[in-house]
Amino acid sequence: MRAPIAGRARAFLLATITIASLLSVFATAALASGPSATSALKRANDAYNQSRYDEARDGFIEAIQAEPHAPDAYRNLARTYFWQNDYSSATAYYDLYMRLAAEAADLEQVRAERRLAATRAGDQIWQMPEGQRLALKALGDELDEGRAYTAGGGGAWGLYRTLLRMQFAQPELAQLRRRLVRRLLDEYEGLMVPQVNQLAPLLDLEDWKVQRERLRAARTLTNDEAMLDVLRRREMIVEAAEALLLGRYPAAATLAESAASENADIAFLHWYRIAALIYAGRHALAMTAVEELGRRLLDAAPAQLDYARIVRAAVLQASGKHDDAAGIYLDLLSK
Amino acid sequence: MCRLVVPTKKLYTSCPRAARKHPQKSALRALALFTLAAGLALSPISSAQAQFAPTDDSVDDPQAPVDDNAHLDATRLVFWLIQPAAVSVKALQDFHVGLEEALAGERARHLLGEQAFRRHVAEFSAPLPLCVVGLAPCVSPQTLAFDTLKLSLVIRLRLQANTSHFEVNYEVMDRRGLVSRTATNSATTARALAFDLVREIFDATGTVSFDSQPRGAVVEIDGEPIGTTPVSQRLPVGNHSYRVRIADHRDAEGSIEIASASSSLVQHDLGLLPGKLSIDGAPEGAILLVNGAEWGTANALAELEPGNYTIEVRANGYLSFHDNVRVLPGQTIQRAVLLNPAPTLLKRIPPEAITISRYGARLAYDVGFHSTTFRNARGEIDAQELEFRGFTQDGVLPTGQLSRFVSPHGVRAEAYYTGENFGLTLLSLSYLQSSTELAAELEVRQSREIVPVTVTDVRRLQLRPFQLSYRMFFDNFVPVLEGGIGIGFQWIDVSGELLAKPTTLSQTEAFWTLGLGLQYFFTPNLAAMVRYNAQSYFNPGLGVEHMLNLGIGMVFGNVFGFEAEPPGKL
């Protein structure tokens, strides 16, 4: 008897994963950049021209972190390191520039600068600072097998922030962001799937708060319009859930209805709306919503029909129609 | 409005793990429930809405002690769903009365028939199941109906009268919604049938209560979840298997024998699951020490009880790695370690660290092995020109050239420029010397007079400009092949009785040189080299000189500053 239910649940899960995967495609093209990278680069250039190399270095690192594929900041950071007598770092960043800007007009000049930096570095070979290396490894492991985001900003997101704080500035950041966006969305979507025979995912207020933070974190990693639209629609679900759990029932009912229309794949929003209507004392609307849901469940999830009947009985009891409620219960107990 | 507190009890019972592990989280969950309940209670239509507040008083505060008599409460309501078939009203009344009398000794309350059930439903309002909003897991709809109506047992029976007796077919449905017993009974009177039925049914079930530490563990009986601890269940007599499980803790499994009309309590202390520690990046053979004690090989997964530990990874040839880890129940903690090689001159040096330096200088010790004739060596004494004729044997100059072996030794200084593989020796300068005692003859050019002498000393200065070299890298070992031309200046000291005084002959000869050496780099800038050179003189009489060379050298970066610097302004 359970096979069809399990089959449907699996199909639903697959559909959700497919959606998450599709979303991740958007994420691959999307990286946050723009004004912050430009302004950081300008500030750093100004500092370089005034020989304030510590400030310039931090600015170029910030610019690289904001836009890891833009080559200029790598070259300028290499030059900054050169004047700071850190020749091994300079050499490493000249190499990164030449990798990213293989057709650049100033390549010959940069090659010459690189040679000089390399010879002055002598036997000092640039190695990634130990802290960065460990954080990068931990982030990779977390992205492979761990959590994308945990309460309090931990998980891969926390390690990513740590990596940035450690002034990690490499083209690899772009790929890490793509993976992180994908994992954040996968994790968010994974929690949106109710377990087998459950009406809604088991999430409390704190879980929803973390879900919201996941979406916000993903938003800081992308500027793709399609992705941002997806994130906006997914945030509507969080808003509806939080309103419901915080006791703002009329708002929760409205938000759940709008979220359901924008997120057709999230079926539990209908249950949220019914709960909000009942808690708001709008029994007539709740009854209509339950009947509407019952019709929907006939095709989509017949296993949930009996839950709808129990909710219907509860609404009837609350409306004083005890006899009708008793009829529903008798029917259930006679099965 | 004291009901406002009740939902938090329900909440804790549903999610005790969250409450225990995350006090803040549980507080938020409580807040969510509180607001749900507050919204109900404080809304204008409070009487109607408040009915939705969870009112299940069977759910206890998790901090409260276990109630050993909980199973008695669990039997509080039994619903007899009676479906009469061709039975007179009198017989039905007799059956009802019989049931009431038979059940008088039972502690539970019984709803006899549909009317009693409807009155019961009218007595209260059901709470909205919390699983609708994802705050509690959903049990099956039947179990939900049982819980909503506070039923512990439903007995469905069909009563019918035959010519000589009454018969009843009945099914007993427990809280799981499962029919645990189906049977048919008969008796001559409806009243007797009721007594038989009560005796049979209540002797055929027993009650079991489950509790655990921590609470909130899911209880499965015969594979079916029945709720979370503490929980009670009436079960048919016989053997039942159960499992009690909660995240991050060890499962408890077992079986229980339910005896007729018995009540029993099953309690389990569910210990925390051990955590695992995975060490990444440790070299082969590295060992792991936990709190100072050797645990095993570092690359194997270490299973540890939850807690804080100090770990150390040791490996031969490396500096030890120390760290503190916190092992969480049921989770694998990963630690990436980087063991730095212990300081030694023999550590591996990547070729790119060597090739970055292009200029080199080397000082070496040279030993030559040369079988030669000194032919064409010339000198002068008192305006008389002398020429080396050859070595003598037993005072006689043999026919043909006699070669003698000399082995001069000395120092060699070299300066070179090298690319990654090809290089150019800018200058290689050797000075060698050897004392000998070799009999030879000189000829006075003007008088053609023969003068026997003894060669007492040989000195050589050799210049090898512009030798080409090629090198390869095998970690720190760098074999080198080199070749080029050179020029040698040689001075030969001779003395003899017929000479007025000891004198020096000299000669200058060019040669081809071909060498094969092996460098070992201790650091990217410091290397030792052993080399063999063959130097073949253009003058065939001088033969081939074999040289062994042992040296030490330094390499440098761009010391001349030809390269471009970065601009001062961007």
Side-chain angles (χ1 to χ4, degrees), chain B residues 112-379:
Chain B
L112 299 180
E114 194 176 314
Q115 291 309 316
F117 178 80
R118 286 182 185 278
R119 280 196 300 278
H120 170 65
V121 171
E123 281 173 8
F124 71 99
S125 283
L128 184 70
L130 287 176
C131 70
V132 170
V133 291
L135 286 175
C138 281
V139 288
S140 72
Q142 279 75 18
T143 307
L144 206 54
F146 265 74
D147 290 349
T148 301
L149 300 167
K150 300 175 186 173
L151 297 174
S152 61
L153 216 58
V154 171
I155 300 162
R156 293 193 298 231
L157 51 88
R158 182 178 173 81
L159 177 67
Q160 58 187 20
N162 292 331
T163 50
S164 60
H165 64 280
F166 291 92
E167 190 177 274
V168 67
N169 302 309
Y170 72 88
E171 294 173 332
V172 178
M173 184 161 69
D174 64 23
R175 181 170 163 269
R176 294 172 292 176
L178 301 178
V179 172
S180 58
R181 185 178 174 83
T182 305
T184 303
N185 279 28
S186 62
T188 52
T189 67
R191 188 172 179 281
L193 184 58
F195 271 81
D196 286 351
L197 201 57
V198 168
R199 188 182 314 113
E200 183 172 299
I201 289 173
F202 284 89
D203 279 354
T205 60
T207 303
V208 60
S209 301
F210 287 88
D211 203 356
S212 68
Q213 185 57 43
R215 284 187 165 176
V218 174
V219 178
E220 291 174 4
I221 297 178
D222 301 329
E224 287 289 329
I226 62 155
T228 55
T229 55
V231 65
S232 296
Q233 177 80 31
R234 180 174 275 276
L235 293 169
V237 295
N239 202 46
H240 296 270
S241 63
Y242 68 85
R243 187 156 76 112
V244 185
R245 59 180 168 83
I246 189 168
D248 298 339
H249 291 72
R250 292 187 169 92
D251 290 359
E253 290 180 326
S255 63
I256 184 165
E257 184 77 30
I258 299 293
S260 168
S262 66
S263 61
S264 44
L265 175 67
V266 177
Q267 276 186 298
H268 281 287
D269 192 351
L270 306 172
L272 282 170
L273 277 174
K276 288 176 181 164
L277 175 65
S278 166
I279 302 288
D280 295 339
E284 198 68 30
I287 57 165
L288 170 69
L289 290 90
V290 177
N291 288 343
E294 187 172 331
W295 188 267
T297 57
N299 287 323
L301 213 56
E303 201 168 87
L304 298 166
E305 290 301 318
N308 294 316
Y309 296 93
T310 302
I311 61 165
E312 181 184 347
V313 179
R314 283 186 195 163
N316 284 335
Y318 293 89
L319 298 175
S320 292
F321 172 86
H322 296 266
D323 201 0
N324 294 316
V325 295
R326 186 175 182 200
V327 176
L328 299 173
Q331 294 189 20
T332 300
I333 308 296
Q334 286 187 309
R335 272 288 178 280
V337 304
L338 174 70
L339 294 188
N340 292 312
T344 168
L345 279 175
L346 302 179
K347 69 181 177 187
R348 181 185 173 275
I349 299 168
E352 56 270 25
I354 297 169
T355 56
I356 206 162
S357 299
R358 298 296 169 93
Y359 298 92
R362 191 182 296 122
L363 194 62
Y365 172 72
D366 265 350
V367 183
F369 304 96
H370 196 188
S371 187
T372 186
T373 66
F374 300 155
R375 199 175 68 174
N376 294 342
R378 291 192 173 94

Side-chain angles (χ1 to χ4, degrees), chain B residues 364-371 405-414 428-433 460-464 467 482 486-488 511-517 529-537 543-550:
Chain B
Y365 172 72
D366 265 350
V367 183
F369 304 96
H370 196 188
S371 187
F405 179 76
V406 292
S407 181
H409 54 92
V411 294
R412 182 190 293 206
E414 291 175 305
S428 172
L429 182 67
S430 300
Y431 179 77
L432 307 106
Q433 183 271 334
R460 287 174 175 172
L461 180 67
Q462 296 174 340
L463 286 171
R464 299 173 208 85
Q467 292 185 78
E482 62 183 9
I487 186 163
F511 56 82
W512 289 104
T513 176
L514 187 67
L516 181 63
M529 186 179 196
V530 59
R531 176 171 47 187
Y532 163 77
N533 275 115
Q535 296 185 157
S536 175
Y537 287 86
V544 177
E545 183 177 13
H546 304 276
M547 301 190 76
L548 276 181
N549 174 270
L550 188 65

Side-chain angles (χ1 to χ4, degrees), chain B residues 478-491:
Chain B
V478 183
V480 182
L481 182 68
E482 62 183 9
I485 57 168
I487 186 163
F489 303 93
Q490 184 168 242
W491 294 273

Side-chain angles (χ1 to χ4, degrees), chain A residues 11-23:
Chain A
F12 180 63
L13 181 65
L14 282 174
T16 310
I17 289 170
T18 307
I19 290 166
S21 304
L22 286 173
L23 296 180

Side-chain angles (χ1 to χ4, degrees), chain A residues 13 21 83 137 244 274 309 315:
Chain A
L13 181 65
S21 304
W83 293 122
K137 169 86 168 61
L244 180 62
I274 290 166
R309 297 171 77 195
V315 178

